[in-house]
Amino acid sequence: MANSDLIVKFWGTRGSIPSSMQPGEWSRHFEALIKGFFASGHKDPSEVAAYLGKMETPLVGGYGSSTTCVEVRSPRSQLIIDGGSGIRLLSERIMSGAVAGGKGPFHIYMTHYHWDHVIGLPFFTPHFLPGVQVHYYAVHPELESLIRGIFKKPYFPVPFESLPANIKFHVLEPRKPFQIEDMTLTPYKLDHPDPCWGLRVESGKASYAHCVDTEGTRVSREDMGEDLPLYQNADLMYFDAQYTFPELADKANWGHSAAQIGLDIAIREEVKQVLFAHHDPGASVQTIEEIRAQTREYYNWRIQSAKDSGSGASAVAWDFAHEGMEIHL
Ligand SMILES: [Zn+2]
Ligand SMILES: [Zn+2]
């Protein structure tokens, strides 16, 4: 915590619906790992942990099954962005007492209300703790009725009215900064079929741009207009890359983007680091690795052609996010 103005933790990085590889796919994945262990000359089972430990986390354990939930912590506050199924894992951490500020108040910002962003909310245990403060924030004026609807019988056995927590709703003005302790939060509009409001979070010298879900249809500065400050000079941008670049043409107006679109924005707006997410529910480790390789090819070409033309392009650190990833800014 010391020396970090913001810590961003990703509790769910899938899109659309929680999903994992099927048992058969996992079996083939483990078979390949075991073959790799022996093929690299290892024989002793005591070397397994060290062998796997040297590999990148998702190459061993995958990218995770949970949908969007991001925790942002500053020295004095904590914010949760969206209540996808990943919020259950965060909730368990909070209840275990392992999280600073585990007694609340809790602040939850809603980008929008598609199933994959609300499905975990009934499983956020602080709702069931008497007197605990839970604050919801969103740009949508119908925030309260939308959240109440998630707890409606017979979709969920405990009606909203019976929840013992002290739950408050705060409707925000678009593009107008608001403050939670030492965090400044500003909602900006993304490109999505139902209105989806991304968020810029700033604390101290650090900035985080939350850009999921978005299709990235407005690419030029002119088209982005008053939503441009979401991206500019962000230390970390979290961007929707559910599809491959060729898939985008077939899936126009579905509301999701590709890594190449995010990279173009990041390079132009001098974003320092990008994490791509909202992984397709059908994407295996192998699929995401292939998309990652295509992205690497595009990025290298993009930087090289800028060099060749003498126009210059600022380097961007980028990767694909996996569940449990934590970034210190
Ligand atoms: Zn989504
Ligand atoms: Zn959505």
Side-chain angles (χ1 to χ4, degrees):
M1 193 74 205
N3 304 326
S4 296
D5 286 330
L6 283 177
I7 297 175
V8 188
K9 178 147 183 167
F10 301 94
W11 294 93
T13 61
R14 284 273 160 195
S16 305
I17 190 167
S19 76
S20 168
M21 294 200 299
Q22 292 186 311
E25 289 177 286
W26 278 116
S27 300
R28 283 192 289 281
H29 178 69
F30 291 132
E31 190 184 327
L33 286 176
I34 294 164
K35 279 182 178 163
F37 175 78
F38 289 113
S40 55
H42 295 89
K43 287 190 181 66
D44 188 342
S46 69
E47 295 166 351
V48 169
Y51 173 76
L52 296 179
K54 279 191 207 132
M55 297 173 74
E56 293 175 291
T57 304
L59 296 185
V60 180
Y63 283 83
S65 57
S66 303
T67 61
T68 308
C69 177
V70 177
E71 179 194 11
V72 187
R73 298 200 302 272
S74 65
R76 288 191 7 231
S77 197
Q78 179 209 42
L79 174 75
I80 299 164
I81 303 177
D82 283 351
S85 63
I87 204 170
R88 183 188 64 82
L89 300 161
L90 169 58
S91 181
E92 281 182 9
R93 282 287 286 168
I94 290 169
M95 297 313 291
S96 75
V99 174
K103 292 187 170 57
F106 298 98
H107 304 279
I108 305 176
Y109 175 82
M110 299 300 301
T111 60
H112 67 312
Y113 305 88
H114 285 162
W115 287 118
D116 51 325
H117 298 255
V118 302
I119 198 170
L121 288 176
F123 304 91
F124 185 61
T125 313
H127 284 133
F128 303 94
L129 303 178
V132 165
Q133 284 186 39
V134 181
H135 295 270
Y136 278 93
Y137 305 83
V139 170
H140 315 78
E142 65 281 31
L143 165 67
E144 179 165 352
S145 63
L146 287 165
I147 297 297
R148 282 176 176 267
I150 290 158
F151 291 84
K152 215 176 175 88
K153 270 180 175 299
Y155 296 113
F156 192 70
V158 185
F160 184 87
E161 294 67 33
S162 307
L163 296 175
N166 182 7
I167 302 170
K168 296 266 190 298
F169 297 94
H170 310 267
V171 174
L172 307 176
E173 279 187 52
R175 307 173 191 92
K176 192 176 167 204
F178 69 102
Q179 206 73 26
I180 301 175
E181 298 281 349
D182 54 350
M183 276 188 199
T184 307
L185 316 173
T186 316
Y188 291 98
K189 199 164 197 190
L190 297 170
D191 302 325
H192 207 51
D194 292 306
C196 179
W197 290 86
L199 190 70
R200 186 167 173 118
V201 184
E202 292 166 316
S203 178
K205 291 192 174 75
S207 53
Y208 167 68
H210 186 94
C211 314
V212 170
D213 302 358
T214 193
E215 189 162 342
T217 40
R218 293 173 300 158
V219 174
S220 73
R221 282 187 163 170
E222 222 173 24
D223 287 348
M224 283 178 171
E226 50 189 351
D227 295 312
L228 179 63
L230 171 61
Y231 311 92
Q232 289 178 308
N233 304 103
D235 290 313
L236 174 62
M237 175 171 95
Y238 190 59
F239 196 83
D240 190 318
Q242 180 158 353
Y243 304 136
T244 63
F245 194 59
E247 270 173 343
L248 272 186
D250 293 336
K251 295 184 171 168
N253 304 318
W254 285 29
H256 303 291
S257 197
Q260 288 86 341
I261 304 280
L263 278 180
D264 279 354
I265 296 171
I267 291 169
R268 188 190 65 212
E269 299 309 330
E270 301 189 8
V271 170
K272 291 186 192 67
Q273 188 177 357
V274 185
L275 286 173
F276 296 111
H278 210 271
H279 308 311
D280 195 83
S284 63
V285 175
Q286 190 64 33
T287 311
I288 298 175
E289 284 313 305
E290 280 161 21
I291 299 174
R292 209 170 162 216
Q294 291 164 15
T295 308
R296 192 173 301 117
E297 211 171 285
Y298 178 79
Y299 176 74
N300 291 342
W301 169 79
R302 189 71 171 62
I303 294 291
Q304 190 57 46
S305 47
K307 242 185 223 165
D308 294 346
S309 69
S311 59
S314 52
V316 178
W318 63 269
D319 208 341
F320 280 64
H322 63 81
E323 200 171 300
M325 200 174 204
E326 184 173 290
I327 305 287
H328 293 233
L329 301 173

